[in-house]
Each structure stands twice: as C-alpha cells, then as structure tokens.
C-alpha cells in the first residue's frame, strides 16, 4: 500500500512568488499541507483543473503569472470556483484557505 | 353579468378573489391573487397593495382592473397586533475583560497565565516574568515568529493573542509550542501590563479552565470575592475552543439582573403576575382572567417598558392617544437571546433569558371606509366594506371539498390567530388571539441572533438542507439528494434553505439540526398554544371535545409543518383537523376574499 500525507497540489506556470506564498500561507493556516509543481500549461483555469484531478483532496489551485484559480473536483475545466487576475494578498489567503476547507468539508469563505 | 372582487387585507398579505355573477346562476370563480400588504393593516398605505393584487388577479384572466364592477373589502376586526422582546438578565462586563470566541484555527493547546505585553514593546519585557504577547494585524507571521524566537532564553512567552488569522502560521514557526488565539478584532483594547490567562482546547474539545470560575481563580490567583465576580465570564465562555480572560482589578464586572416586573391584567378576574414566573404561568393567568379589558406592566421594569412600547407604536398606527389603546390579549413566550457583551474584544455574545410578547390591541375602528372611498376614487369602481372577517373566512372555508356545517375554522395569519365556529343556523362565535406568524419570525430571529427579520421569515418558511458535496445535499429529514450538475460552490458546506427559486444560504454558522429545532419550537410555542386557547374560547362550553372538525386557513396554514403539528395535537382531543383548500384550488389562502365574493350572492338572492 502506498500512503503519503495528503496535500493540495498547486500547479504553477511562472507564478508570481508573492501570490504563491500567500496562497500557501492560507493552506497552512488551515493545518493542511501543499505541494507546488511547475507546468508548461499557461492557463490558470486548466492548471487548477489538472491539479484538482491529480490530487485526492477534491480541490486544486492553478497560478499562472498573476492569475490565481481554484477548482473543485467534478466541475468542468473552464468553470473554476474562482479565477482572479492580480488578486489581493488577502484574496490569495482566502483562495488557499478555501482549497483546504474543501477537503475539511467546511463552507468556503467569501472573497471580499 | 357582473364581476365582483373580494379583497382581504391581512397583516402580512393582501388577497383578492374575482368572481363572476350571471343572473340566476351560482357564482363562477375566475381568478385570485396574493401580494404583500403595503403599510400597516387598515391604513391608507394598503391601497398600493390592493391595486397590485387586483391587477395581478385580473391580469391572469387577460383583463384590466376597469372590468371589475364591484369591490368588496373585508370589515377587518378592529384589532392590531405587535410583538416585543426583552431580555430579563443582562451580563454587563466592561473594561475589556475577556475574549472568548471560536476562531476556526487557534493554535497550540493548553493554558497559561502571564502579564500582557504588546509585541511593539517586546524589548521592555523582563526576564523571569511569564508574558502573554498580543500582536496587531500590522505584523506578519514570519516577523512575529522570528522575533519571538529571538527572545528565547531572555523572555518567558507563555501565550499569544493575534489580530490576524495567523495562529497556525506563527505556531508552526515557533521553537517553543504555546497556546495562540487569533482573529481578535479589537486588539487595540487589550491593556498592556495587566494579568491574563489564555487557554486553547485540544482538537475536538472545549476549554475547561477558563469556563470554570475556579479555573480562572487558579490561573489568575483570585480570592473568593473576585472569583464570584468572574462567574458570568466563565459562564459565557462555556463551549468555546479558545479564550482569554484579562484581569482588570478595578474592572466593573457584574451580572445585572434587571427587575423583570409584573403584568397587571385588568379583567373579569383581575390578576397580577410576575414575568419571572415564565410563559406557562403567565398564559395560565391570562386564561383564568376571563375577558381582559387592558394589560399593563409595572412601571420602570422590563415588562412595563415593553408594554408601553407596544402601546406607543399602536397609538401611532391607529392615530389614537396612548390612553385609548387597550391591550386585550397577550401571548408570552420564553426564549433565549444572544446578547452582545459590552467590553468584549471579539464580538462575543452570551445567551440570556428573554421573553417575547405578542399583544392584541383593540382600536375604535380601522379606517376601512376611508380605504374603500379612496379605492373608489382611484378606480372609479363601486367599492363597499362588507361582512365580518370571521364570517367571511368561514364562508370561504366552506368551499373546501368535504366540509359541512357546523364548522370550526382556525385562521392563522401573520399578526393574529382567529377562531370561529359557524353553526347550522348561521350563528357564529369568534375570537381573536394575539400572536401568529410574525411572533414566530421574531423568535427565530432572536434565538439565532440574525441581523434582519427577512432571513428569519425565510427560515420559517422553507425546509433546510446541508450541501455536503457539489453533487449532493443532506435534507433536514435525513434524506440524501443527488444532483447531476454541480451545485454552485458558494453553497458548499453550507446550510441552505430549499426555496421555490433555488437555494438560499443561511449565513449564520449554526448547525442545521439546531436551526430546525429553533424553528419548530418557535412554531409550537406560538401556534399550538394559540390554537388551543382560540378553539377553547369558541367551543361549546369551552370544551374542545365538543368540536368535531377544524379547517385551517390563513397564510400560516400554508406552512409546510404547522398543520401537521396541529393535527398531531388535536388528534388527542378527537378533532378532525386539516388544511383548508379554498375553492378546491387555492389551498388554505384566500378564504376571506372568497367569502366576500360568495356573500355578495347571498345578499342579492
């Protein structure tokens, strides 16, 4: 049996480091771990979708440059839960936190 | 041929029934409608609602309002209702004495006591003194963790209070694990240099030390007198996952039990009863008092103020002086209200005992004739005020398939619960009782601590579900409901209302089971109590067993659970009870409006 600590996948393409850091902080504050993978794909929606499909957590995050997207399992590739261009740091935290809350079966926080 | 419109103005809705009379033939019902009542029942502001309802009803048959030959308005009972709520006990805690809230992610576990030290003055801390450091949201988690780690060996930091939601982030970077509470909004009100105790519970548990007065005494070295004064704090912290209590030596912490006061019933058998006795005893006194002329409250007490408020608002509505307003019935209900603790730092509330009262005020006469005249002016249509409301409701109820005389009706509206019995000879006895749908909404709003009445109304009206994944919901009856298309993620993990127009989020973070319990209890407290006393009042010899069948009408009879609650209760008295189905199509609504159209035929026979 293969077992590994469950973590949320963040698929990135030349991600803005500040946005990535804040998203990771949002996940960590919820006591969940995350892993970052750099990808060729440049569409944040598709990155999030692929991250979500690849992980067993039911959610995934895609960051392409200054676009940050959150996706949940079962939704269509272009229908991310959110996809924000140039989000504020607090929005990044909420996106990270929400991705963790999906697996904790908790309601999502509203983006301001 | 003539088109007759029956219009019933209720506390909550205005209802219209359109009927067609052709010489020598029975009435043919064409249409009906229901809109929200505009303004207080019985005032000229109702005109807008009436016009909208007439327009809607005529529109349904593809005709204009000008096609109506006669409008018949209900002779509304000259009673108007109002509700009020008052907390009986109030915990007053001032001087920033406590933080006891449930941030979703506190960090660490355990408890500690120490002197409060601002993060900005970390350099001033002395070795050997245990400190609880509080940090404003201006400092990021990395900076905070780094500087606290730097103090290791020099300062003894035993706990932290953060303004930002970063407890876990800070704790993960600290060399030494300590309890940390975060998301404290009013960090600016934390006093530097005072003693404080902090506690974070283990996962899945509640705090134990700070929700116990002796626990607080142990941590903060309190004497017996001081321990007594912190009891309300301990009480309000029960059930929290984390808390901070700050010792303010000159702080003003007291549990202030305001005098609840006595209610005076000026009646056939005058009674005085203390509000402290509880709703059951009050309602027993109301029932034993016989015919009530007026209800007043002891001056300068909670109940006195509450009844005066009702009197004042009713005098504004009816245009009569306060002295002319007579409260002829009350319904008292025990409840719990979350009260914002003054001096709290994170918006904490505590549950206090409260009582809700619905009062029925008898006025001289509602200005229905003025409304009729105004309608006539606006529409150039003959308008008349006709028929006693309860008689019209009974006539309308009789259009329910399977009904016959004698018939008892229970008209459950927004403001009042009315009962009437119509016998074979046409004689009618009736009663109006204070308290109906609006009191239920008020109870739901209070007990859930909702900001607005609208949300409470929605909760009252619709069943609940919990969205457990994007593809399924758990209904309040335990049933699982699966959907093909993904549910909007905004509803994920939320308790929602299942309305006709889709899902509506309940913004309050309260478990579905608790909301359901509060909703059902509120309905039982109001409608079971009122249905029994209303029917008892009109029953032959006031004996419920002498009523054989009851038809439920009015807006609250359309509720998805109230009729079933009543059926269960009435089954014990051998009463057949069911929701009316006016004209076989309208459900329990529209009884009075239908009665108004029907009675026109009777009068012209």
């Amino acid at each position: 049996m293969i077992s590994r600590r469950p973590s949320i996948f963040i698929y990135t393409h030349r991600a803005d480091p500040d946005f990535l850091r804040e998203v990771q902080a949002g996940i960590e504050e919820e006591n969940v771990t995350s892993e970052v993978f750099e990808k060729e794909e440049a569409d944040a929606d598709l990155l999030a979708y692929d991250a979500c499909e690849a992980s067993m957590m039911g959610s995934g995050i895609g960051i392409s440059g200054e676009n940050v997207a959150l996706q949940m399992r079962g939704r269509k590739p272009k229908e991310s839960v959110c996809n924000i261009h140039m989000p504020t740091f607090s929005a990044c935290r909420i996106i990270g936190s929400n991705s963790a809350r999906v697996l904790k079966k908790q309601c999502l926080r509203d983006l301001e | 041929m003539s088109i007759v419109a029956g219009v019933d103005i209720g506390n909550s809705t205005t209802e219209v029934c359109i009927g067609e009379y052709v010489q020598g033939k029975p009435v043919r019902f064409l249409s009906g409608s229901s809109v929200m009542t505009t303004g207080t029942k019985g005032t000229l502001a109702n005109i807008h609602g009436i016009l909208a309802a007439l327009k809607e009803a005529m529109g349904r048959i593809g005709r204009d309002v000008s096609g109506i030959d006669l409008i018949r308005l209900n002779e509304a009972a000259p009673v108007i209702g109002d509700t009020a709520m008052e907390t009986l006990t109030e915990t007053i805690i001032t001087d920033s004495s406590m933080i006891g809230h449930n941030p979703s992610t506190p960090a660490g576990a355990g408890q500690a006591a120490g002197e409060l030290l601002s993060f900005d003055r970390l350099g001033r801390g002395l070795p050997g003194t245990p400190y609880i450091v509080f940090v404003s949201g201006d400092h990021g988690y990395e900076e905070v963790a780094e500087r606290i780690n730097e103090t290791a060996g020099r300062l003894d930091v035993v706990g932290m209070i953060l303004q930002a939601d970063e407890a876990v982030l800070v704790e993960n970077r600290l060399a030494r694990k300590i309890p940390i509470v975060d998301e404290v909004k009013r960090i600016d009100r934390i006093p530097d240099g005072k003693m404080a105790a902090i506690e974070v519970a283990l996962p899945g548990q509640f705090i134990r030390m700070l929700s116990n007065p002796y626990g607080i005494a142990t941590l903060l070295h309190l004497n017996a007198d001081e321990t007594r004064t912190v009891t309300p704090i301990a009480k309000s912290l029960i059930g929290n996952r984390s808390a901070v209590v700050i010792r303010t030596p000159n702080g003003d912490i007291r549990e202030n039990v305001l005098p609840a006061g006595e209610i005076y019933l000026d009646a056939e058998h005058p009674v005085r009863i203390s509000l402290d006795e509880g709703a059951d005893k009050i309602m027993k006194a109301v029932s034993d008092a016989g015919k009530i002329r007026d209800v007043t409250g002891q001056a300068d007490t909670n109940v006195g103020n509450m009844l005066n408020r009702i009197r004042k608002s009713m005098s504004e509505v009816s245009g009569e002086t306060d002295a002319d307003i007579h409260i002829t019935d009350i319904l008292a209900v025990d409840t719990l209200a979350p009260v914002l603790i003054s001096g709290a730092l994170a918006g904490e509330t505590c549950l206090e005992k409260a009582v809700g009262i619905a009062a029925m005020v008898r006025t001289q006469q509602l200005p229905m004739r003025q409304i009729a005249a105004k309608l006539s002016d606006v529409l150039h249509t003959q308008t008349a005020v006709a028929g006693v409301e309860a008689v019209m409701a009974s006539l309308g109820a009789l259009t329910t398939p399977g009904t016959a005389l004698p018939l008892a009706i229970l008209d459950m509206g927004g403001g009042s619960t009315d009962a009437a019995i119509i016998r074979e000879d046409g004689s009618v006895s009736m009663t109006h009782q204070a308290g109906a749908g609006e009191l239920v909404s008020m109870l739901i709003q209070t007990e859930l601590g909702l900001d607005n009445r609208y949300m409470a109304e929605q909760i009252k009206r619709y069943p609940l579900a919990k969205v457990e994944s994007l593809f399924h919901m758990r209904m309040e009856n335990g049933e699982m409901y699966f959907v093909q298309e993904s549910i909007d993620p905004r509803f994920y993990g939320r308790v929602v209302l299942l309305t006709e127009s889709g899902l509506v989020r309940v913004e309050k973070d309260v478990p579905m089971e608790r909301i359901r319990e509060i909703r059902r209890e509120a309905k039982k407290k109001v409608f079971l109590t009122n249905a029994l006393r209303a029917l008892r009042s009109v029953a032959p010899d006031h004996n419920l067993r002498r009523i054989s069948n009851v038809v439920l009408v009015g807006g609250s009879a359309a509720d998805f659970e109230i009729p079933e609650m009543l059926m269960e209760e009435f089954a014990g008295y051998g009463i057949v009870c069911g929701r009316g189905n006016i004209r076989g199509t309208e459900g329990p609504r529209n009884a009075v409006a239908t009665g108004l159209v029907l009675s026109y035929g009777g009068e012209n026979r």
Side-chain angles (χ1 to χ4, degrees), chain A residues 42-89:
Chain A
D43 183 331
D45 274 328
L46 293 177
L47 284 168
Y49 179 80
D50 292 343
C52 178
E53 289 297 303
S55 141
M56 57 178 172
M57 313 301 286
S59 72
I61 289 173
I63 308 178
S64 175
E66 287 152 346
N67 289 303
V68 182
L70 167 66
Q71 181 59 292
M72 285 169 76
R73 168 85 38 96
R75 289 180 67 80
K76 292 179 185 138
K78 280 291 186 181
E79 290 178 2
S80 298
V81 174
C82 66
N83 182 350
I84 307 177
H85 176 63
M86 291 284 284
T88 60
F89 283 179

Side-chain angles (χ1 to χ4, degrees), chain A residues 21-22 25 28-31 72-76 81 93 101-110, chain B residues 104-105 141 165-169 172-173 182 468 470-471 485-489 492-494 505:
Chain A
R21 185 193 65 234
E22 292 302 316
E28 184 184 339
E29 178 60 23
E30 295 288 338
N31 261 319
M72 285 169 76
R73 168 85 38 96
R75 289 180 67 80
K76 292 179 185 138
V81 174
R93 286 272 182 110
R101 291 171 73 93
V102 168
L103 90 113
K104 291 159 96 177
K105 300 260 179 224
Q106 289 175 340
C107 61
L108 308 187
R109 292 160 65 192
D110 290 323
Chain B
S104 58
T105 51
Y141 60 95
D165 179 15
E166 295 186 336
V168 177
L169 288 164
N172 286 349
R173 285 159 182 76
D182 63 358
E468 295 196 324
L470 289 185
F471 297 92
E485 291 288 313
S486 157
I487 298 168
D488 189 326
Y492 180 82
R494 301 253 180 194
R505 256 164 53 164

Side-chain angles (χ1 to χ4, degrees), chain B residues 385-449:
Chain B
V385 179
V388 178
E389 196 166 324
V391 179
M392 295 301 116
S394 304
L395 273 179
L398 273 170
T399 63
T400 297
T403 53
L405 295 176
L407 179 76
I409 63 154
L410 198 55
D411 185 353
M412 301 181 291
S416 69
T417 304
D418 305 337
I421 287 191
I422 182 163
R423 302 178 194 83
E424 284 98 333
D425 61 3
S427 64
V428 176
S429 31
M430 58 188 155
T431 182
H432 306 281
Q433 311 278 354
E438 282 163 19
L439 182 60
V440 173
S441 301
M442 187 176 80
L443 290 174
I444 293 174
Q445 182 186 359
T446 311
E447 295 198 13
L448 286 173

Side-chain angles (χ1 to χ4, degrees), chain B residues 118-174:
Chain B
S118 164
F119 183 73
D120 298 321
R121 298 182 187 178
L122 213 52
R124 295 194 189 178
L126 300 171
T129 308
Y131 287 109
I132 292 176
V133 174
F134 59 98
V135 190
S136 81
D138 302 335
H139 303 281
Y141 60 95
E142 280 167 327
E143 177 198 352
V144 173
E146 194 183 323
R147 286 191 56 197
I148 296 291
N149 282 336
E150 279 168 13
T151 64
R154 188 174 65 83
L155 284 186
D156 181 18
V157 177
V158 294
M160 290 181 78
I161 306 168
L162 308 181
Q163 188 172 31
D165 179 15
E166 295 186 336
V168 177
L169 288 164
V170 171
E171 203 229 5
N172 286 349
R173 285 159 182 76
L174 286 185

